[in-house]
């Protein structure tokens, strides 16, 4: 399986540390059974503070784009609004970039695991969204 056909994943958090940690967790739980999915965290602001940065999100999306689409997962409200604004502009994110409605941690793991099988963007989005049904008790 060629890495250039994999869906890329961008994890947008208000915290650089949270985004990086969730990316590390998702990669680790995906294991070595599949291809190495391109995953990029886009957390915090350019100055290292809490918040979201359109520039960091656009850069992360470009870095994971392999032509099979980019799934963007977000943590909180203004991250969602920033991604929606970028998508509305139309030229800031790679073609085939999609905001995915999913829980941040569980959805990220499901997205990376599914993408590692070579699944398309629709399947990656569906798997991430299904994470809403994961019960803990």
């Amino acid at each position: 399986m060629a890495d250039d056909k994999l869906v890329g994943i961008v994890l947008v958090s208000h915290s650089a540390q949270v985004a990086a940690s969730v990316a590390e967790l998702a990669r680790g739980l995906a294991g070595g059974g599949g291809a190495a999915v391109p995953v990029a965290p886009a957390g915090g602001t350019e100055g290292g503070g809490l918040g979201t940065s359109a520039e960091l999100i656009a850069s992360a999306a470009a870095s994971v784009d392999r032509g099979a689409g980019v799934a963007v997962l977000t943590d909180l409200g203004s991250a969602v609004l920033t991604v929606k604004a970028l998508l509305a502009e139309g030229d800031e994110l790679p073609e085939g970039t999609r905001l995915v409605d999913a829980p941040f941690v569980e959805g990220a793991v499901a997205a990376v695991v599914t993408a590692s099988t070579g699944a398309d963007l629709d399947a990656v989005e569906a798997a991430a969204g299904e994470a809403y049904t994961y019960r803990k008790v």
Side-chain angles (χ1 to χ4, degrees):
M1 174 182 346
D3 283 356
D4 63 355
K5 295 299 178 191
L6 295 174
V7 171
I9 312 290
V10 174
L11 302 175
V12 181
S13 173
H14 284 68
S15 162
Q17 293 85 359
V18 168
S21 294
V22 172
E24 179 183 358
L25 176 68
R27 281 190 211 102
L29 292 177
V37 175
V39 180
T45 64
E46 288 90 346
L50 294 176
T52 55
S53 161
E55 292 78 16
L56 292 177
I57 295 166
S59 176
S63 77
V64 300
D65 181 23
R66 304 293 184 273
V70 176
V72 181
L73 286 83
T74 61
D75 62 358
L76 302 170
S78 66
V80 173
L81 295 175
T82 303
V83 173
K84 283 183 174 181
L86 285 167
L87 288 168
E89 289 174 21
D91 61 351
E92 295 294 320
L93 298 174
E95 186 174 341
T97 298
R98 190 179 297 174
L99 175 60
V100 173
D101 184 15
F104 193 61
V105 175
E106 295 91 337
V109 171
V112 172
V113 167
T114 302
S116 73
T117 69
D120 66 12
L121 183 56
D122 289 337
V124 170
E125 179 179 29
E130 285 172 14
Y132 275 126
T133 66
Y134 297 173
R135 305 298 308 168
K136 296 180 179 151
V137 291

